Amino acid sequence: MKFKRISALVITFLLSMTACALFAACGGSGNEDGGSGKIQYKRIACIGDSLTYGHVWHDESYPVYLQELLGSEVEVKNFGVNGSAVTNRNEPNYTLKYDTLKEYSDSIAFQPDLVVIMIGTNDGYNWKGSAPTFEEEYRKLVDSYFENGAEQVFLLTSPPTLPGNAFHLIDSVINAEVCPRQRALAEEYGLPLIDVRETFEAQEDLRLLFRSENNDGVHFSVAGAKLVANLVAEEIKK
């Protein structure tokens, strides 16, 4: 009887070890490296407009909180640019098309493993001018990171903006025109989509996620920035 019990324990142990090996081989630990608990991405580039940069609250931007969540073994860099857009909005004097800026070149030189893109809100400012080239320019932006060695790209939808915001952004345009294209591009590429708009709109009081100073209504409060950081961190750790 004693021998049978020992044999049963040995068999159970071997089955358990086999299952663990299969889980690791199939990537069961998601974006953690082989079940070791270490995140596979070492350099993360956050791309976008003032919602990424943080406007005048750079030290309270979502990449700052993402860095805190992921720890010192990962380097998160903020390449956001206030006022930038995917397109040139068909405006001769607009000079903040993202892929023409130094921050874009710097983000490529950073050689990120993971690129997190949240941009498009400012294209909605003049959607008539942006619409004809928005998807084409967005594809070029995504392609450029893969072509330069990125392992993965996350796409984020543009968040809502509050009525009467100080920047005169019309949320209905962003919701009806920009966000559906962001979602469609994520599906087209088979990329992870983080639907920031959907998550924000599900919160009990949307106003708490935005800055109230000077009737801002567009840029994230600390609570809003931390919510975005958590969404990105959760996707990384899947």
Side-chain angles (χ1 to χ4, degrees):
M1 294 294 293
K2 184 177 179 181
F3 176 75
K4 289 182 178 179
R5 285 198 298 271
I6 292 172
S7 297
L9 288 171
V10 170
I11 291 169
T12 301
F13 173 76
L14 290 173
L15 287 172
S16 176
M17 291 298 291
T18 301
C20 289
L22 285 171
F23 180 75
C26 293
S29 58
N31 278 333
E32 293 180 359
D33 189 10
S36 65
K38 293 184 179 180
I39 296 168
Q40 73 179 54
Y41 305 118
K42 298 302 181 185
R43 293 181 303 281
I44 299 175
C46 298
I47 308 304
D49 48 37
S50 57
L51 295 171
T52 295
Y53 183 79
H55 193 41
V56 298
W57 303 279
H58 182 62
D59 292 338
E60 295 176 346
S61 61
Y62 92 79
V64 170
Y65 299 118
L66 180 61
Q67 180 71 77
E68 291 178 3
L69 289 169
L70 299 181
S72 60
E73 291 187 2
V74 179
E75 184 178 6
V76 178
K77 292 202 72 171
N78 187 338
F79 294 100
V81 181
N82 290 343
S84 62
V86 177
T87 70
N88 64 9
R89 307 193 310 198
N90 199 27
E91 297 175 20
N93 296 323
Y94 182 74
T95 59
L96 290 172
K97 183 174 181 287
Y98 188 81
D99 65 4
T100 67
L101 303 175
K102 179 180 182 296
E103 287 80 359
Y104 166 73
S105 300
D106 290 346
S107 72
I108 294 290
F110 179 54
Q111 296 185 313
D113 307 307
L114 171 64
V115 179
V116 182
I117 300 177
M118 180 169 59
I119 193 168
T121 294
N122 291 317
D123 294 274
Y125 188 80
N126 176 12
W127 183 244
K128 185 177 180 180
S130 302
T133 60
F134 182 82
E135 289 155 294
E136 177 188 356
E137 295 294 343
Y138 207 116
R139 289 187 188 98
K140 287 180 183 177
L141 187 62
V142 172
D143 289 342
S144 70
Y145 288 108
F146 282 123
E147 289 165 1
N148 282 280
E151 295 178 20
Q152 184 60 284
V153 175
F154 291 173
L155 301 187
L156 281 62
T157 58
S158 295
T161 60
L162 297 182
N165 64 77
F167 302 90
H168 309 291
L169 284 162
I170 302 172
D171 188 58
S172 59
V173 173
I174 298 168
N175 186 31
E177 303 292 351
V178 176
C179 289
R181 286 167 171 79
Q182 292 166 330
R183 294 182 184 111
L185 285 162
E187 184 175 358
E188 175 185 323
Y189 277 85
L191 298 176
L193 173 73
I194 300 175
D195 204 323
V196 176
R197 169 173 288 272
E198 185 177 81
T199 302
F200 270 43
E201 289 178 340
Q203 303 306 302
E204 187 172 341
D205 190 346
L206 185 60
R207 294 170 299 175
L208 298 178
L209 302 178
F210 295 97
R211 295 282 177 176
S212 59
E213 295 92 331
N214 301 315
N215 196 35
D216 186 294
V218 170
H219 299 101
F220 302 137
S221 65
V222 169
K226 285 186 174 181
L227 179 54
V228 174
N230 273 287
L231 290 172
V232 177
E234 286 172 6
E235 187 64 38
I236 289 171
K237 294 176 179 179
K238 279 185 179 178

